[in-house]
Structure formats: structure tokens, C-alpha cells
């Protein structure tokens, strides 16, 4: 009898061990596959079972959470949603997360291990900490001024603090209210269909996800390349540039919209935006010099994140001389985001270096304890400090007596460059209007802001 009892005990022990091994296999080895199974709603229920952390602008939260009492209990809410949509993105139970809501999801949702007081215990129990906060670099007054300035126009604004790379404003219009995509009801899906079906693409972030031919604003880069390479040594000396200028190897003649461009000095050509001078300067600098300068400013950089990704701006690496001439005045295949053009202006406003632009100042717990902070970082060296100083002179001339006089601000020193970019088949589209600039108060030695503005299909007079 004792023998059978021992066998039964042994069998029970084997079964218990098998049960424990299987439980471990299911809970540890196969857990990821269960987590990713679309039929498993537990993670989603837990995710929306507590309020989401907030995004902060100027010490004020611009997001919130609303208790619906439903299975996915908390829905995302937004204060001034259209004003900040190009920064916050959306957090939707149906369509996921974008922009800061996406890249900072770990902090905002409470799943970031840094938010757990006992990470190992939370990992075993799968407990979720309270959502933290994401504090942005945005200046609320600058953001609102940019948004209201664009109004009903299609376009974008990017503003950067030159000395640090802090993004002070990032606006894309037309915009939308991210709150429309919160919840799981029919209203959210109808809003999604409506927003995606609109011809003016309100969910396209034109400041960082759309590139445009930069037109004459690109002449800032070409002038910097000419000065840095020694092609131009005296900004007031004639450049030996014919008007019109025949594109090398072609019969095509490039002309100007202003007079006095034949053999004009760099200063005059920049102030009045002579195409012929800058097309020839680009060819004189050469493809290697132009591509090197473009890379120094950030063109063709596929790794830039602020923290969400930025579409790379393009300057072709293989061009014949005719194509190089057109690229040097911001045409042909040259394309840039508004953020990229603000980075160019910021490099001029500073010492010629390009700081890494960033949008998140710090992340904190719900109670305000700091988790991580950001600060200035050198991204590229675009030009020498002496070249940057001479470029500031040129951009100041544009505002004081050239094509950008309407940008003058009493009590401030402003430098700028206007741009009109052709597009469409045979340049048939209404030109894009650009303006890039920097400004400092009259009693300051350092510019406080660098800005880039683009307006799509702007049927405006030159310089407006």
C-alpha cells in the first residue's frame, strides 16, 4: 500500500512541476505574443484605466483626461487643441499616438520604468505608475502669434532660440482639434475620415513633415559658402556676374526681377535678391563646397529628431553645373522644411554653429520630480564665426533697405531674407512665399529668436 502512496505522491509532484513550468512558459516566454494579440484587451484597458500625464507649455497644461466611466475609462482632452496640435499630436484609443503624445508615451502613460518607485516589483506585477509630465520649450506668446499670424493661410512657422536650439514656436496651418479623435465612438471615426479626406490636409505637420523649394531664402547658404570658401572676399566688390546669366552647358538664360544685378556686389545682390549673381556663385563655389555647406546647415540629415522625427531637407549630391546653378538659388530639387530654414537663420544669428533643435525641456513625475532634462548640443558647424558676422550684416541690410523692410521692428535689430519659390509643372503654380529672420533687442548683444515662415500658394506682391 505504501508503494502506491509513494507513486501517487510522485505523480502529483511531477504534475505540480509540469503545471509550474507551463505557467512560467505562458507568463514569461509566451507573454509577449499574448500582449500583442489583438484579441487581448487587458493592456488597453489598463492603459486607459488611469489619467494620462500632461504636456506643459509655459507652466500651464495643454492636455487633460476625462473620466467616461466606460471600459476604456479615460479619454484625452486638449486645451487650445488646434493651437498646439502640431506639437502635441493626438492620443486616440482608435488611432494610436503621434508627435509628443507618441514619442513621450512612456512617460505620459505611466509605463516608463523611471516612474515606478519599485521597478522590479512593478515588472512582476505589471503595475503601471502614474503618468508623468512633459514640459516643452514652447513660448506660449510666440506660439499664439505665429498661429494667429498665419490665420486661414496654408503654411508653417518655426522659431528657435539661436544660442540653445530651444524651439519657441512650431505651427502648421490649417490645424485641427486632437480631441475630436479621442474616444471609441462613431464621432471619433467620423472625425478621422473627415480630417483625412480634406484637401488642405490639416493633420499634415507642415513645419517638420513637409518640404518646399526654399527659393531665395537659400541664398543665405550660398552666400555663406562663397564667403567661407574665399570665392568672395570683399562683399562690396563686383562679382563679375552677367545679367542675364546663361546656365552652363545650356541655352537657358536666367534673369532677375530687379535691376542693377549685372556684376553686382554680394551685398547688393543679397539685399535685392539677384538670381544671376547667386547662380554663378554656386557654380564658382563648386558642387563639393556647396554640398559641404548644405550638410553643415543640416541638409540631408536623416537622423534629426526633436524628439519626433523630422523629414530630411534635400540638397542633391550629384548635379551638373546648370543644375547646381538652379539649386544655389533654392530651385531645381532643393527642398527644405520650415524648421530647417529656421536652423539656417539661427546659425547666422549665432556663431555659425547649428544647435540641435529640441522641444522637450524636461520630463517629470506627476508630483514634479525631474526624470530627465535637455540642454544645448552642437549639431553641425555651418560656417566660421567671421562669416556668420558678415552674414548678419547682409541680412540686416535686407530689412533696413532691401526686400524685407516690412519686417523692421522699432527698438530691435532684425535681419532677414525674403524668398519666392516657383513650383508646379512649368512653374505654373502660385509661388510659395518665404521669409527667414532673426531679431535681437536694441540693448542686447545676442539675438533672441530665429524664425522661418512659409505660406503656400501666396499670390502676394514681392516683399509682402
Amino acid at each position: 500500500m505504501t508503494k502506491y502512496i509513494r507513486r501517487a505522491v510522485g505523480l502529483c509532484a511531477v504534475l505540480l512541476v509540469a503545471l509550474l513550468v507551463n505557467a512560467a512558459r505562458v507568463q514569461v516566454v509566451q507573454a509577449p505574443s499574448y500582449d500583442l494579440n489583438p484579441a487581448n484587451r487587458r493592456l488597453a484597458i489598463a492603459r486607459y484605466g488611469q489619467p494620462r500625464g500632461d504636456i506643459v507649455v509655459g507652466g500651464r497644461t495643454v492636455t487633460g483626461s476625462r473620466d467616461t466611466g466606460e471600459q476604456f475609462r479615460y479619454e484625452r482632452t486638449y486645451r487650445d487643441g488646434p493651437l498646439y496640435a502640431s506639437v502635441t499630436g493626438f492620443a486616440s484609443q482608435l488611432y494610436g499616438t503621434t508627435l509628443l503624445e507618441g514619442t513621450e508615451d512612456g512617460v505620459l502613460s505611466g509605463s516608463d520604468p523611471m516612474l515606478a518607485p519599485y521597478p522590479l516589483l512593478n515588472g512582476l506585477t505589471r503595475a503601471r505608475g502614474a503618468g508623468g509630465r512633459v514640459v516643452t520649450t514652447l513660448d506660449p506668446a510666440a506660439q499664439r502669434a505665429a498661429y494667429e499670424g498665419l490665420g486661414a493661410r496654408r503654411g508653417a512657422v518655426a522659431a528657435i532660440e539661436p544660442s540653445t536650439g530651444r524651439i519657441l514656436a512650431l505651427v502648421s496651418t490649417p490645424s485641427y482639434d486632437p480631441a475630436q479623435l479621442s474616444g471609441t465612438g462613431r464621432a471619433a471615426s467620423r472625425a478621422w475620415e473627415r480630417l483625412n479626406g480634406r484637401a488642405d490636409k490639416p493633420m499634415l505637420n507642415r513645419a517638420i513633415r513637409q518640404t518646399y523649394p526654399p527659393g531665395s531664402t537659400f541664398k543665405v547658404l550660398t552666400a555663406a559658402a562663397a564667403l567661407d570658401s574665399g570665392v568672395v572676399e570683399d562683399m562690396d566688390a563686383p562679382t563679375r556676374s552677367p545679367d542675364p546669366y546663361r546656365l552652363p552647358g545650356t541655352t537657358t538664360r536666367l534673369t532677375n526681377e530687379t535691376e542693377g544685378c549685372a556684376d553686382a556686389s554680394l551685398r547688393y545682390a543679397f539685399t535685392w535678391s539677384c538670381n544671376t549673381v547667386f547662380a554663378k556663385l554656386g557654380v564658382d563655389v563648386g558642387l563639393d563646397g556647396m554640398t559641404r555647406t548644405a550638410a553643415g546647415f543640416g541638409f540631408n540629415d536623416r537622423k534629426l529628431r526633436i524628439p519626433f522625427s523630422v523629414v530630411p531637407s534635400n540638397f542633391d549630391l550629384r548635379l551638373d553645373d546648370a543644375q547646381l546653378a538652379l539649386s544655389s538659388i533654392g530651385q531645381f530639387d532643393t527642398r527644405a522644411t520650415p524648421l530647417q530654414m529656421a536652423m539656417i537663420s539661427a546659425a547666422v544669428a549665432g556663431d555659425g554653429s547649428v544647435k540641435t533643435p529640441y522641444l522637450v525641456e524636461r520630463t517629470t513625475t506627476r508630483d514634479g520630480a525631474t526624470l530627465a532634462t535637455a540642454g544645448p548640443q552642437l549639431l553641425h558647424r555651418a560656417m566660421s564665426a567671421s562669416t556668420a558676422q558678415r552674414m548678419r550684416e547682409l541680412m540686416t541690410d535686407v530689412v533696413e533697405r532691401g526686400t524685407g523692410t516690412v519686417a523692421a521692428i522699432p527698438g530691435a535689430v532684425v535681419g532677414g531674407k525674403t524668398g519666392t519659390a516657383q513650383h508646379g509643372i512649368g512653374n505654373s503654380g502660385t509661388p510659395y512665399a518665404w521669409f527667414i529672420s532673426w531679431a535681437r533687442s536694441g540693448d542686447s548683444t545676442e539675438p533672441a529668436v530665429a524664425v522661418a515662415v512659409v505660406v503656400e500658394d501666396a499670390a502676394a506682391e514681392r516683399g509682402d
Side-chain angles (χ1 to χ4, degrees), residues 77 93 133 255 418 421 425 438 456 464:
T77 62
Q93 289 97 325
R133 288 188 163 197
T255 59
T418 56
I425 299 174
W438 52 263
E456 294 182 12
D464 282 357

Side-chain angles (χ1 to χ4, degrees), residues 41 50 340 373:
R41 295 168 62 87
Q50 66 180 27
Q340 172 63 72
T373 59

